[in-house]
Amino acid sequence: MTAAEKSEAVGRDFIRDIIAEDLAAGRHKTVVTRFPPEPNGYLHIGHAKSICLNFGVAEEYGGRCHLRFDDTNPAKEEQEYIDAIERDVRWLGFDWGKHLYHASDYFEQLYEWAEHLIRKGLAYVDDQSQEEMRASRGTLTEPGRNSPWRDRPVEENLDLFRRMRAGEFPNGARVLRAKIDMASGNINLRDPVLYRILNASHPRTGTTWHIYPSYDYAHGQSDAIENITHSLCTLEFEDHRPLYDWLIEHLPVPSRPRQYEFARLNLTYTLLSKRVLTLLVRDGHVSGWDDPRMPTIAGLRRRGVPPAAIRDFVKRVGVAKANSTVDYGLFEFSVREALNATAPRRLAVLRPLKVVIENWPGEKIDELEAANHPDDPSAGLRKLKFSRELYIEREDFMENPPKKFFRLSLGAEVRLRYAYFVTCKGVVKNAAGEVTELRCTYDPATRGGNTPPDGRKVKGTIHWVSAADAVNAEVRLYNQLFKNPEPDAANFAADLNPDSLEVLKDCKLEPALAAVKAGEAVQFERQGYFCVDTDSKPGQLVFNQTVGLRDTWAKVSAGSAA
Ligand code: ATP
Ligand code: MG
């Protein structure tokens, strides 16, 4: 077995291997990680990967994981996002205990360290405009040019930096840059910006600050202050690691964290970019951050996806060093796995077609027993009332059926789940020629849906709801938000699926479904898993489809219908 295969076998990955080795070698007594969201949007399923990894390894190796808001850009950050992020991390099943931090907690310390760099001749105030700085940064193949302000005396740098802090200059007038190497092959080392002037109010520090640290400057130093041992981030930060290390090297920080990069999660039919998600919300392509079609944690929760399904999915995806795109079907698989075991089974007719049982005796009501879960007798039974008028699914009847259609058609017999065999004797049509009602007969000898004494068999079993006590509901069915398996982030609007939401207003549910509570999953037999939507009100039930019973995407690509 190679080391990688061994890791696989015990549910390990290269990050866990590094941590295990560091602990075994005594390089650290305990593992400390952090999840560092920027509160400029809601968390999505990609963040869940990072959350499960950071909190997961801390838990597995007896360490701890901090929640740290990377709140260094007040122009984009909002309290709403801070609250949503905390709620979502908790809901995913993780707890930071007392270790809730903010990069803004360290603004004073970060400022002092910036002065330290200035005093050591390792940072300078640059008066160039943004355009000038961009023009002199060079390219991947050409070195940059030194700023004319690069050799400013220390005292002048200190004076200007203090005045930047005091709010003497307008936005963008000056920046503080690290003095590293304008000819470096790594552009991140070409005198990166440490501080910029931004006269903006911050959700936590108010108007105290007129300068804000850059991500690269704040991040590693915040890690060091919190004694983070393993700073885990996505691959796009690999090129930033030399800067991360340079700053740790040149500052009197209390600890020396190391950064490790892993592949970000990409999912087919999905864009995991806060920029895109923000625009989807802002431009009204979805109803909000928690629209059930959104890949946000809030959207998935509203859609009825349990946190265990997200954790299971992330585990199946694993942690690798190379970027790849995961099939959306794998996510749906995890959702079904999580819901199948526990979701009670119920009958619901989404597109109703009325059925009259012509030989049913008048007002008689029969009470039939139905299993709450076919694989779990302990889930018990419930009573279903059967009477003369019922609803079945419109698509379970065909006037001119193809050969292998085993459901209802004129003259055909099917089993109504848990009830009786019925035979279709006639159809009623409206002026437009559409079937509006079926006339059927039932066989009393098949009560419970059982084979009659003559041994007659039927091939089809369909679901139904009794008209007399059906509960009306709206049911929302969802499809992929994007019609393209790899939507174009730069032009995402063109890839939006116009049929991502289907609202069915006239659904008929068995009465037990009126009692489903928020957060509970149910299976509508033959249809999929559903939950009550937050738009639901007493007397105005709204259900969301969480996921279908089968992999409809595989089905579509295999070219088979029904
Ligand atoms: P941006 O910084 O562009 O606003 P972001 O998605 O990087 O977007 P952050 O709040 O900075 O947002 O992310 C917090 C953490 O989540 C980071 O450590 C980041 O690496 C990680 N992360 C973000 N997207 C993914 C993803 N798709 N897969 C795995 N981890 C991710
Ligand atoms: Mg980021």
Side-chain angles (χ1 to χ4, degrees), residues 258-468:
R258 297 272 320 254
Q259 175 181 302
Y260 298 92
E261 306 87 17
F262 63 94
R264 53 183 285 120
L265 174 71
N266 299 305
L267 253 189
T268 56
Y269 297 99
T270 312
L271 284 171
L272 298 179
S273 147
K274 270 197 278 193
R275 185 189 65 82
V276 170
L277 299 182
T278 305
L279 291 175
L280 286 171
V281 173
R282 194 200 69 186
D283 298 344
H285 296 295
V286 294
S287 64
W289 285 99
D290 70 344
D291 186 301
R293 292 166 294 176
M294 288 280 272
T296 50
I297 305 300
L300 297 172
R301 174 169 58 231
R302 183 167 170 191
R303 176 89 173 249
V305 172
I310 299 176
R311 294 194 303 264
D312 175 70
F313 168 67
V314 164
K315 201 162 164 187
R316 284 174 200 277
V317 168
V319 180
K321 257 191 257 193
N323 278 322
S324 64
T325 300
V326 176
D327 193 312
Y328 193 82
L330 182 66
F331 176 62
E332 293 195 325
F333 176 82
S334 289
V335 177
R336 284 188 205 101
E337 284 281 294
L339 296 176
N340 176 44
T342 51
R345 273 48 173 175
R346 297 288 181 256
L347 301 186
V349 172
L350 303 187
R351 298 170 184 90
L353 175 61
K354 195 168 171 189
V355 172
V356 177
I357 311 288
E358 291 185 320
N359 61 338
W360 187 262
E363 302 294 298
K364 179 182 166 182
I365 291 173
D366 192 4
E367 285 211 327
L368 300 155
E369 286 189 323
N372 286 324
H373 198 297
D375 310 329
D376 178 10
S378 75
L381 302 168
R382 68 190 187 285
K383 294 254 164 51
L384 294 176
K385 287 186 179 147
F386 191 92
S387 55
R388 189 177 161 82
E389 294 193 355
L390 317 166
Y391 294 107
I392 64 164
E393 211 64 64
R394 197 159 265 284
E395 64 172 25
D396 283 337
F397 173 80
M398 277 185 94
E399 216 180 351
N400 302 300
K403 228 173 166 199
K404 289 208 169 160
F405 188 76
F406 297 124
R407 291 171 271 165
L408 209 50
S409 55
L410 209 50
E413 185 172 38
V414 294
R415 175 190 288 107
L416 293 182
R417 181 92 159 133
Y418 305 118
Y420 294 96
F421 286 15
V422 296
T423 303
C424 181
K425 298 289 191 186
V427 300
V428 178
K429 293 184 180 176
N430 63 14
E434 297 156 342
V435 176
T436 54
E437 189 179 304
L438 302 182
R439 311 294 293 192
C440 296
T441 56
Y442 84 111
D443 178 356
T446 58
R447 189 171 188 273
N450 293 314
T451 309
D454 66 9
R456 208 168 74 248
K457 293 235 164 35
V458 289
K459 280 217 166 120
T461 298
I462 64 175
H463 61 277
W464 56 278
V465 169
S466 162

